[in-house]
Amino acid sequence: MSEVKITETILRDAHQSLIATRMKTEEMLPIAKKLDQVGYYSLEVWGGATFDSCLRYLNEDPWERLRVLRKNFKNTKLQMLLRGQNLLGYKHYSDDVVEEFVKKSIKNGIDIIRVFDALNDTRNLKTAVNATKKAGGHAQTAISYTISPVHNIDYYVNLAIEMEEMGADSICIKDMSGILLPYTAEKLVKQIKDKVNVPIQIHSHFTSGIANQTYMKSIEAGANIIDTAISPFGMGTSQPATEPMVASLKDSSYDPRLDMDLLLEISEYFKDIREKYIREGLLNSRVLEVNAKTLKYQVPGGMLSNLVSQLKAQGSLDKFEEVLEEVPKVREDLGYPPLVTPMSQMVGTQAVFNIVLGERYKMIPKEVKNYVKGLYGKPTIPIKEDIKKIIIGDEEVFTGRPADLLEPELGNLKEDIKEYIEQDEDVLSYALFPQIALEYFKNRQAKKYKIDTNLVNEEFKTYPI
């Protein structure tokens, strides 16, 4: 037995889960020094939806956020979440884009890259894992945890073995829906630890109310690291709260030995931030409630809010329960994909269409068709022929690695925006989010021109306000 390490998610998944990733860099910096002194194993600060949100809503350059944070964290490893071949977007990117993105992420300050694939198709992890190791980073592969007739402990143990063989430096059990039960977690961690020799990290959400117990049984079974969120942004659809978890382990052989006085000071700081977002209407009390239905429908918190938004837009919020019941049916039809980005969006949208239109598969999103064609990877089990016929007719299904269909893209992307490039990373921003990145570049250029003509001090050009 040894002390458990803690990854703090306040600067990424915590605010992504509770306030739609709206926390600004300027709100992170005043508390950075104290966060850096706590003794965390790592701080998750980037990836997931932060990149999109910086460009789309906050008028920030996500690369500059990373660089600024790196300067302010001298003692703590910085971590990010990457969607494998999808990077931080919603489609597959060519290998040259993936390799360059990983290289630049590490160059700008990331130490640990957690890489997952929505289908647990390890072919979609390899390029990112290899690029991470080549650039000197720590490659953590993540198992997207879900429950189905075919997702059992043997399935996950074999997946962990495959991940270690492909070069994973550590493995995360990523329970995005908060459905990993405590005693199942105990068995799962024990059996994985028996077969692999790399550290095991547990990531869960408090959505269903069981994550604290799951963490404790995982720790007792040998898990090395857990993800927590400082309490003002903990629990609900976020991670278990940091301070209670640290206190629960105190004076045990698992004691993470973090500075509790500092944690309490940090908590006070984020209480004020939280109150601000409550006043602005971004923090809805519904995301703080325990939702036991998650255990039945396996719908992550973010997916729940998306379903509500879609139904509101259709004037069909009264059909919410019907849609929830349709989600597992669609998931079964599609070969039991885990409900994580981008599969959660696909399954959720299809369920909404099926119920609102009163006929199953009357309307099918392009992304669902591409998934059935094999363009996202391999389903857990083959999709039934009758469902395949309904969705794509007689079109052929691709069984190879989806990215093998893609030609190198970097050269063309660079040419597309050559008049806007101010840093190499701009090409990658454009690759992921062409429309919003281009809008950001135009605004940046206009702002820069205005600053130049007014002869404002040079230092203010480096950070978008």
Side-chain angles (χ1 to χ4, degrees), residues 163-398:
M163 288 173 166
E164 184 182 38
E165 288 173 350
M166 73 187 292
D169 297 307
S170 61
I171 295 171
C172 174
I173 300 170
K174 178 179 167 60
D175 175 27
M176 55 279 175
S177 300
I179 56 173
L180 176 58
L181 299 173
Y183 289 98
T184 303
E186 181 183 37
K187 290 177 190 172
L188 179 57
V189 171
K190 274 184 180 174
Q191 291 193 34
I192 289 178
K193 294 286 285 187
D194 283 344
K195 296 293 184 181
V196 305
N197 296 308
V198 298
I200 303 299
Q201 185 154 355
I202 308 295
H203 171 93
S204 189
H205 290 250
F206 200 76
T207 318
S208 67
I210 61 170
N212 281 358
Q213 297 94 306
T214 296
Y215 276 15
M216 293 301 279
K217 296 307 291 184
S218 298
I219 289 165
E220 290 170 0
N224 307 95
I225 316 163
I226 57 173
D227 287 6
T228 64
I230 203 78
S231 58
F233 282 84
M235 299 174 288
T237 55
S238 178
Q239 281 69 57
T242 304
E243 308 95 302
M245 187 58 61
V246 170
S248 298
L249 297 167
K250 188 172 173 57
D251 297 330
S252 74
S253 56
Y254 309 112
D255 192 339
R257 305 183 194 284
L258 300 190
D259 188 326
M260 183 58 86
D261 289 335
L262 262 180
L263 287 175
L264 294 175
E265 286 183 47
I266 291 164
S267 179
E268 286 301 313
Y269 175 82
F270 281 108
K271 278 181 185 174
D272 291 339
I273 302 289
R274 168 187 159 129
E275 288 305 310
K276 174 197 160 192
Y277 283 105
I278 290 174
R279 288 194 302 271
E280 292 178 2
L282 264 172
L283 181 53
N284 189 307
S285 61
R286 289 180 68 176
V287 301
L288 299 173
E289 297 168 358
V290 167
N291 189 333
K293 286 182 179 177
T294 304
L295 296 168
K296 180 178 180 181
Y297 299 121
Q298 300 187 44
V299 176
M303 185 177 170
L304 278 173
S305 56
N306 283 342
L307 292 176
V308 169
S309 296
Q310 289 184 54
L311 289 169
K312 272 185 180 175
Q314 300 284 336
S316 302
L317 197 52
D318 59 312
K319 298 184 184 296
F320 181 64
E321 289 294 328
E322 289 179 71
V323 170
L324 274 185
E325 290 176 13
E326 178 68 8
V327 165
K329 296 173 187 174
V330 172
R331 188 168 164 255
E332 180 180 356
D333 289 344
L334 298 181
Y336 294 109
L339 293 179
V340 65
T341 302
M343 292 312 306
S344 52
Q345 287 88 339
M346 292 186 209
V347 170
T349 301
Q350 188 63 66
V352 168
F353 284 169
N354 287 359
I355 296 301
V356 171
L357 298 176
E359 182 182 333
R360 304 189 82 227
Y361 301 106
K362 181 178 182 179
M363 183 181 291
I364 302 163
K366 180 182 74 175
E367 292 79 7
V368 172
K369 290 180 181 179
N370 285 340
Y371 162 70
V372 175
K373 290 178 192 175
L375 300 184
Y376 282 88
K378 185 181 178 183
T380 310
I381 60 169
I383 297 169
K384 293 174 184 174
E385 287 300 323
D386 58 331
I387 297 294
K388 206 183 297 180
K389 185 86 172 172
I390 291 169
I391 294 174
I392 61 168
D394 296 321
E395 290 191 58
E396 191 176 343
V397 174
F398 180 69

Side-chain angles (χ1 to χ4, degrees), residues 396-436:
E396 191 176 343
V397 174
F398 180 69
T399 57
R401 185 183 76 113
D404 288 340
L405 296 171
L406 303 174
E407 295 292 329
E409 298 175 274
L410 274 177
N412 290 338
L413 291 165
K414 192 171 183 178
E415 182 64 24
D416 285 349
I417 59 161
K418 59 186 178 184
E419 67 265 42
Y420 297 108
I421 295 174
E422 295 185 11
Q423 57 180 348
D424 292 342
E425 290 83 356
D426 287 342
V427 179
L428 297 165
S429 300
Y430 177 70
L432 267 60
F433 301 105
Q435 290 178 319
I436 61 169

Side-chain angles (χ1 to χ4, degrees), residues 17 45 52 110 154 360 407 410 443 451 462:
S17 298
V45 302
D52 184 348
I110 290 295
D154 286 344
R360 304 189 82 227
E407 295 292 329
L410 274 177
N443 290 338
I451 290 173
T462 60

